[in-house]
Amino acid sequence: MSKSIVMPQNPLPPSSAALGWSLTLVEPLLPTERRALFEAAMHEVVVRTPDWAATFFGGFATDVMLTLPEVDPWRLLSGKVGSFTVGPRPPAEDGAVTRVGEKFGTVRNGFDRLPPMYDDPRNDPYLVALTPDLSPAAAAVLAAAGYGWEQANEMLLAASVTPGEAEASDVKVLRRRTPADRLFVVGSEAVRWAIHRRRSYAGKDDLWPLEAASRWAWRADRVSQGEASALPRPDQDEALKLHQCQWFPVDDFDSSQF
C-alpha cells in the first residue's frame, strides 16, 4: 500500500522549506515521498511570500551563474520579459538570446560542454535535465542571473505576472495557473539549468548549490525585513577553469546497442 504525503501541521518557515527543497537539486536518490514533501512545502512558500521567493530564486541562480568562467556563453546572454530587459541585445519577444543573437533555451545550448552520447537527449544521462526546452520566461531569468540578483529578482517578478505564449493560448491552463505557480515554475527552472551548467564543470558531486541556497535563504529573510544585508558577491570559481569538459565520449560507444 502506498504511503500518503503528510504535510506539517504548521507551514514551514520559508528558509527551512527552501533548504529542504534545495536538496532535491543535488540528490537524485531522495525517496519519492520526501521529494514531494519538499516540493509542496516550497510551493506553499511561494504562495505565501512571493517577494521572499523571488529574492531566493533570483539570488540562488545568480550565485551559481557567477561562479562560471567569465567566458562561458551562458554568462553572456540577453533577456526580456515584458518591458524589463538585460544584456546588450535583448530579444524582440520574451526569452533569451546568445551574444550572437541566437535563441537560448534548448538542449543544444549544453552541447558545448556535454557532447551528446545518445541520439535522443531524453535518453542521455548527461543531457536529460535540459529536456524539454527551457520556457522563455525562465530563459530570461537565467540571462538576468548573469548580471546580478536584483536583475534576476526583477525578471522573476515580471515573469510571474506575464503568462507565457503557450499558457495564454490555453484558457483552461491560464485560469488554473496563478502568479505564484508561474513564479515557482520559472524560478525552479532557472535554478535547475544554472546548476546543470555548473555541474558540467564541477561534476555531479558538487555541493556549491547547497551553499548558495543557504546563503540566499538567510539573505532573503533579511531583504524581506528591509535590511540591506551585506553578502559577498561570489567570485568566479577558479577550480572550474581547470575543467575543459566533464567527460569525454568513449570512442567505441554505440548507443544503438542499448
Side-chain angles (χ1 to χ4, degrees):
M1 185 169 61
S2 61
K3 298 179 181 178
S4 59
I5 305 300
V6 179
M7 290 293 293
Q9 292 297 318
N10 298 313
L12 289 174
S15 57
S16 297
L19 290 175
W21 175 77
S22 68
L23 292 173
T24 69
L25 302 173
V26 298
E27 178 47 84
L29 302 181
L30 276 174
T32 302
E33 294 85 357
R34 194 172 181 89
R35 181 178 294 276
L37 181 64
F38 287 146
E39 291 277 353
M42 189 63 200
H43 184 270
E44 185 175 349
V45 165
V46 177
V47 171
R48 288 189 290 115
T49 55
D51 289 342
W52 188 99
T55 300
F56 171 75
F57 283 133
F60 190 175
T62 297
D63 267 19
V64 175
M65 290 294 289
L66 293 183
T67 65
L68 300 177
E70 292 180 354
V71 296
D72 188 291
W74 287 32
R75 286 193 61 175
L76 305 171
L77 303 172
S78 297
K80 171 184 180 296
V81 169
S83 61
F84 187 72
T85 65
V86 294
R89 48 187 308 176
E93 299 179 350
D94 289 355
V97 293
T98 67
R99 57 184 172 180
V100 296
E102 296 177 349
K103 180 181 178 181
F104 175 85
T106 75
V107 67
R108 297 188 64 85
N109 294 122
F111 286 1
D112 60 329
R113 295 286 314 154
L114 300 170
M117 187 164 60
Y118 286 77
D119 294 334
D120 187 341
R122 293 172 297 180
N123 298 327
D124 194 314
Y126 290 96
L127 293 167
V128 64
L130 301 185
T131 63
D133 291 351
L134 195 59
S135 70
V141 171
L142 195 67
Y147 296 90
W149 74 270
E150 294 97 340
Q151 291 88 338
N153 186 329
E154 286 294 325
M155 195 71 81
L156 269 165
L157 292 175
S160 71
V161 297
T162 306
E165 181 178 346
E167 183 181 346
S169 65
D170 189 329
V171 176
K172 292 181 179 179
V173 171
L174 189 60
R175 287 174 178 169
R176 186 171 64 247
R177 188 166 286 178
T178 66
D181 293 330
R182 287 193 287 273
L183 177 56
F184 178 72
V185 171
V186 171
S188 57
E189 276 189 326
V191 167
R192 185 168 50 80
W193 274 55
I195 291 174
H196 186 274
R197 187 62 171 184
R198 179 182 160 92
R199 197 173 67 180
S200 74
Y201 291 93
K204 292 187 176 182
D205 294 330
D206 177 40
L207 294 180
W208 166 250
L210 294 181
E211 173 71 15
S214 178
R215 284 161 52 94
W216 279 96
W218 179 87
R219 191 176 189 187
D221 281 344
R222 282 141 186 84
V223 171
S224 67
Q225 296 166 8
E227 299 178 17
S229 56
L231 191 66
R233 178 185 174 99
D235 295 323
Q236 176 185 344
D237 190 333
E238 295 295 324
L240 299 189
K241 296 167 66 176
L242 302 177
H243 297 277
Q244 295 303 311
C245 191
Q246 180 56 32
W247 68 281
F248 297 91
V250 179
D251 291 338
D252 60 353
F253 177 81
D254 183 357
S255 64
S256 65
Q257 297 175 357
F258 294 85

